[in-house]
């Protein structure tokens, strides 16, 4: 993860040069929820965050209580993988809510919000 120093945005490394950037490294015993919340900062009562990983060209959410070690053992995460920390509203009911979990059964209709554009 790359933190550009702005509390409102945390992005993956890009081709742009950022004057104040840093990478965040976490212990393998850290949970996905701890990683997501430490990157996002305070989000308020009606918001939540999730840690997304790439699974078969779709983004899938790691359960908040899953350790990075368990995710790595299951093959959903490897050391130095790029992940996405996504903030979403708990009050919306329009398809932009919580993403599908890595534990959800595979489906041909994962929804357009989870596809990876390459």
């Amino acid at each position: 993860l790359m933190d550009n120093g702005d509390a409102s945005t945390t992005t993956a490394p890009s081709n742009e040069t950022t004057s104040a950037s840093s990478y965040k490294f976490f212990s393998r015993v850290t949970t996905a929820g701890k990683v997501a919340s430490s990157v996002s900062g305070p989000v308020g009562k009606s918001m939540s965050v999730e840690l997304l990983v790439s699974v078969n060209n779709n983004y899938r959410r790691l359960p908040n209580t899953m350790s990075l070690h368990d995710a790595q053992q299951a093959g959903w995460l490897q050391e130095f993988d790029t992940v996405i920390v996504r903030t979403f509203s708990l009050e919306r009911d329009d398809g932009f809510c919580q993403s599908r979990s890595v534990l959800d059964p595979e489906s041909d209709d994962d929804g357009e919000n989870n596809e990876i554009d390459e």
Side-chain angles (χ1 to χ4, degrees):
L1 295 172
M2 182 173 163
D3 183 359
N4 65 7
D6 179 359
S8 64
T9 61
T10 301
T11 60
S14 68
N15 293 336
E16 297 177 11
T17 304
T18 307
S19 59
S21 63
S22 63
Y23 290 87
K24 294 190 180 218
F25 295 91
F26 297 90
S27 166
R28 290 175 39 159
V29 297
T30 305
T31 63
K34 177 69 175 171
V35 172
S37 63
S38 69
V39 170
S40 70
V43 293
K45 293 188 296 187
S46 65
M47 301 293 286
S48 188
V49 293
E50 59 188 1
L51 185 66
L52 302 177
V53 295
S54 173
V55 177
N56 299 326
N57 289 327
N58 286 303
Y59 290 118
R60 291 294 183 108
R61 170 182 50 85
L62 290 178
N64 284 338
T65 57
M66 180 178 281
S67 72
L68 299 180
H69 175 266
D70 290 343
Q72 187 175 7
Q73 290 294 105
W76 295 313
L77 184 66
Q78 299 302 316
E79 291 181 8
F80 302 105
D81 272 358
T82 300
V83 298
I84 295 175
V85 175
R86 178 177 171 262
T87 304
F88 63 95
S89 173
L90 295 171
E91 297 173 348
R92 290 179 73 162
D93 190 23
D94 59 2
F96 291 101
C97 53
Q98 190 175 45
S99 301
R100 296 190 81 177
S101 169
V102 294
L103 301 176
D104 289 341
E106 290 294 320
S107 168
D108 291 337
D109 184 24
D110 271 343
E112 60 188 48
N113 297 331
N114 293 335
E115 291 182 14
I116 297 174
D117 294 325
E118 293 186 32

